[in-house]
Amino acid sequence: MWDERYAEAGFVYGTEPNDFLARHATRHLPAGGRVLCLAEGEGRNAVYLARQGYDVTGVDGSAVGLEKARRLAEQHGIQIHTVVADLGAYELGSECWSGIVSIWCHVPTPLRVRLHRAVVAALEPGGVLLLEAYTPRQLEYKTGGPPTADGMMSLAELRRELAGLEFIHAEETVREVHEGKYHDGLSAVVQVIARKA
Ligand SMILES: C[S@@+](CC[C@H](N)C(=O)[O-])C[C@H]1O[C@@H](n2cnc3c(N)ncnc32)[C@H](O)[C@@H]1O
């Protein structure tokens, strides 16, 4: 499904970064650090972060998406690392990332729970997770995201799954999202910025 979507002409979510990420990244992600972008797709967020001086790795299940990500990086004269992998099999490592970015990373709930435990373990002390995702309320808006609630997440779930991190920003909100034709309009989202002590 994702390879097919990314085979469309152009960048399906655009080439500009997610605006929650752009607003908060340089303030919270340790300067110049190693940042892992989960479910990175066509690379707009990874390229933005690399342009801010981070050493960025994007992981995604879609080889087609990550090929476009590499091309986008080249167009900007910067480098990103890419890993084609299913997040169910990808090893995040232990205390090795100063930042982890998760933008619209919607995987089945049991996998998400495991992934978030792995995120906590993979952040260095002082490392920061920056996450935006759809909440189940998004089903009322129909402006993007998965077709069912499975994989969407609430702030209460994230607080449990990310236990061990200190939440700096934690909000469920409804906001305008305009990122190409698949994310377009008023949307029910959850946003988290959380640091490992
Ligand atoms: C809505 S897109 C978001 C892409 C990117 N984060 C962005 O904001 O532009 C969701 C991404 O999740 C990836 N994805 C979904 N399930 C995955 C899995 N199990 N393993 C790896 N990637 C997955 C898809 O390939 C797709 O690129």
Side-chain angles (χ1 to χ4, degrees):
M1 127 94 185
W2 288 104
D3 277 350
E4 206 173 294
R5 178 168 291 188
Y6 291 143
E8 291 177 22
F11 285 74
V12 303
Y13 301 110
T15 54
E16 295 301 312
N18 167 271
D19 50 13
F20 169 70
L21 173 76
R23 198 172 323 122
H24 295 284
T26 54
R27 180 154 168 233
H28 294 288
L29 299 174
R34 292 182 72 224
V35 175
L36 175 66
C37 293
L38 301 172
E40 178 48 31
E42 294 170 313
R44 62 195 180 111
N45 298 319
V47 167
Y48 171 78
L49 291 168
R51 294 181 74 200
Q52 311 309 309
Y54 296 99
D55 176 4
V56 186
T57 298
V59 58
D60 197 282
S62 171
V64 178
L66 289 181
E67 173 55 32
K68 287 167 95 172
R70 282 191 296 275
R71 266 190 290 158
L72 185 63
E74 270 170 36
Q75 281 168 24
H76 286 281
I78 47 104
Q79 272 201 328
I80 58 170
H81 312 284
T82 57
V83 181
V84 179
D86 190 296
L87 288 169
Y90 180 68
E91 295 286 340
L92 277 70
S94 175
E95 302 206 332
C96 54
W97 302 101
S98 55
I100 297 181
V101 166
S102 176
I103 303 294
W104 317 126
C105 178
H106 299 280
V107 293
T109 305
L111 170 54
R112 187 191 73 233
V113 171
R114 276 192 282 129
L115 183 62
H116 285 165
R117 294 315 302 154
V119 163
V120 174
L123 283 171
E124 293 171 352
V128 170
L129 168 71
L130 202 149
L131 175 150
E132 185 169 48
Y134 292 113
T135 70
R137 250 189 99 189
Q138 174 63 7
L139 293 177
E140 297 165 27
Y141 291 89
K142 301 181 174 55
T143 51
T148 69
D150 187 40
M152 297 192 197
M153 59 205 87
S154 67
L155 184 54
E157 288 172 311
L158 288 171
R159 284 192 187 279
R160 281 196 299 276
E161 293 164 17
L162 297 167
L165 301 185
E166 173 204 357
F167 282 58
I168 300 164
H169 170 94
E171 188 178 15
E172 279 191 16
T173 188
V174 173
R175 75 171 187 95
E176 290 286 342
V177 175
H178 298 285
E179 306 179 329
K181 67 178 176 180
Y182 293 105
H183 288 172
D184 195 28
L186 208 57
S187 305
V189 304
V190 57
Q191 301 173 339
V192 165
I193 302 172
R195 183 185 293 120
K196 187 157 167 178

